[in-house]
Amino acid sequence: MSTSARIRPSRRAAQIAAIGAVVVVIMLVIAFLADNLAASRAEHRVAVAIEESGRVDFEPEVNLGGLGFLTRAGDGRFPSMLVSARGVTITGCGDRGACTATVDARLDDVTTGDVWDVDATTPIRAAAITAETRIDSVNLGRLMGITDLYINTPAPEGKAGGGGPGDGLLERTDGIMLSGTVPYPGSPEYEDGLPPSASGYTAPKVQISVSAKVFVVDGRVHVEATGLYDGPEDHYSADVPPEFRAHVLERFSATLPTLPMAWNIAASNALSRGSDLIVAGNNDERIVKPIDY
């Protein structure tokens, strides 16, 4: 028997094994794509149901957690569900333009029932719900009447490189930096229709950064400026006359209107995260409906 005759069967076996492995990989890829496509369609269905809520104007983002979506879809049991609705209207901005927030929620140990049957009135059970409402600097400025307001979360003192990629977004309840332009006592709120931040506003004003803390009382967020900011972060500084300092701090302080929260969960705490104000609340086991978001 020649050497080539002995090698040929083993080579054929290797080829068959290789083809089999490729077929298995292709089948796994197809199953993975089918599972993801089904999950995406189901998430869209839940999002459309939540959009039926009177205060959700745009289709929210929905993510159903857990591997193997198709094995979970029938009874609708998921370890988590994340919802994020952008552009939710906040009342209380007066003539300063429309105010909006991003209203988020995380539901743990979720049961939707057959997820393909979910509609606006489907009861969804969750073992716990965490609600967060996120307000960016522009909308916080409108709520507080400071057109160019910017919120920043400084790194803790003595922490070099705080806020880098390894840290994620920093969070604080105190020592938050607020920057903006406010009029001095006796100056108008607007001059010829221009706010203090405009170059055409000529009345006495000051562009300054302050330190502030945020907290919640009876469901409403309080922003309290505690002093002029003098830390290491880039900030605005100015010689504020001592007799005007209390006025400046008062302009950077406010009690915000009641903010929209997912499923009307009561706000219990507030903090800054990066350049956003976050208002949060929690609920234990609860049954909710998409239309009530």
Side-chain angles (χ1 to χ4, degrees):
M1 183 181 294
S2 68
T3 302
S4 61
R6 289 196 301 271
I7 293 175
R8 194 172 296 118
S10 62
R11 183 176 297 168
R12 186 179 301 115
Q15 291 173 339
I16 292 172
I19 292 171
V22 170
V23 170
V24 169
V25 170
I26 292 174
M27 291 178 65
L28 288 174
V29 170
I30 291 174
F32 175 78
L33 293 175
D35 196 75
N36 277 269
L37 177 61
S40 177
R41 292 182 63 186
E43 288 164 351
H44 171 67
R45 184 178 185 90
V46 176
V48 169
I50 293 174
E51 195 178 0
E52 291 294 312
S53 169
R55 62 186 182 186
V56 178
D57 294 327
F58 307 99
E59 183 177 317
E61 297 177 14
V62 174
N63 179 267
L64 295 168
L67 298 175
F69 170 80
L70 288 173
T71 63
R72 300 174 180 274
D75 60 6
R77 295 180 180 273
F78 303 95
S80 65
M81 182 168 75
L82 305 179
V83 182
S84 182
R86 300 183 303 274
V88 176
T89 299
I90 303 173
T91 58
C93 281
D95 61 354
R96 296 184 291 274
C99 292
T100 61
T102 298
V103 176
D104 297 336
R106 176 188 173 91
L107 294 77
D108 294 316
D109 295 330
V110 179
T111 303
T112 65
D114 188 337
V115 74
W116 304 114
D117 291 335
V118 170
D119 60 24
T121 60
T122 299
I124 297 175
R125 181 184 296 276
I129 301 177
T130 300
E132 286 192 353
T133 292
R134 180 161 31 105
I135 304 171
D136 62 20
S137 294
V138 171
N139 286 286
L140 181 59
R142 289 173 179 169
L143 287 168
M144 296 181 64
I146 303 175
T147 305
D148 61 338
L149 184 133
Y150 183 76
I151 181 172
N152 188 32
T153 306
E157 292 184 13
K159 184 173 181 179
D167 294 320
L169 289 175
L170 295 172
E171 297 181 349
R172 300 190 72 150
T173 58
D174 201 350
I176 299 163
M177 186 173 77
L178 300 176
S179 302
T181 307
V182 296
Y184 274 137
S187 296
E189 291 296 313
Y190 293 90
E191 185 178 65
D192 297 327
L194 298 174
S197 57
S199 59
Y201 184 100
T202 59
K205 61 183 181 179
V206 63
Q207 189 176 46
I208 195 72
S209 297
V210 304
S211 291
K213 60 182 179 180
V214 293
F215 52 94
V216 174
V217 177
D218 295 331
R220 295 183 66 179
V221 177
H222 292 247
V223 181
E224 182 180 317
T226 56
L228 303 183
Y229 182 80
D230 60 358
E233 300 286 337
D234 289 338
H235 63 283
Y236 298 123
S237 58
D239 293 326
V240 179
E243 65 270 23
F244 292 161
R245 289 187 180 181
H247 169 83
V248 170
L249 295 180
E250 184 179 352
R251 291 307 305 259
F252 280 94
S253 302
T255 300
L256 303 185
T258 301
L259 301 172
M261 298 283 287
W263 287 295
N264 293 316
I265 291 174
S268 59
N269 63 293
L271 52 91
S272 67
R273 180 184 298 151
S275 58
D276 294 327
L277 174 69
I278 306 297
V279 189
N282 298 277
N283 252 164
D284 293 331
E285 184 173 357
R286 185 174 171 187
I287 297 175
V288 297
K289 296 180 179 179
I291 198 169
D292 298 326
Y293 192 84

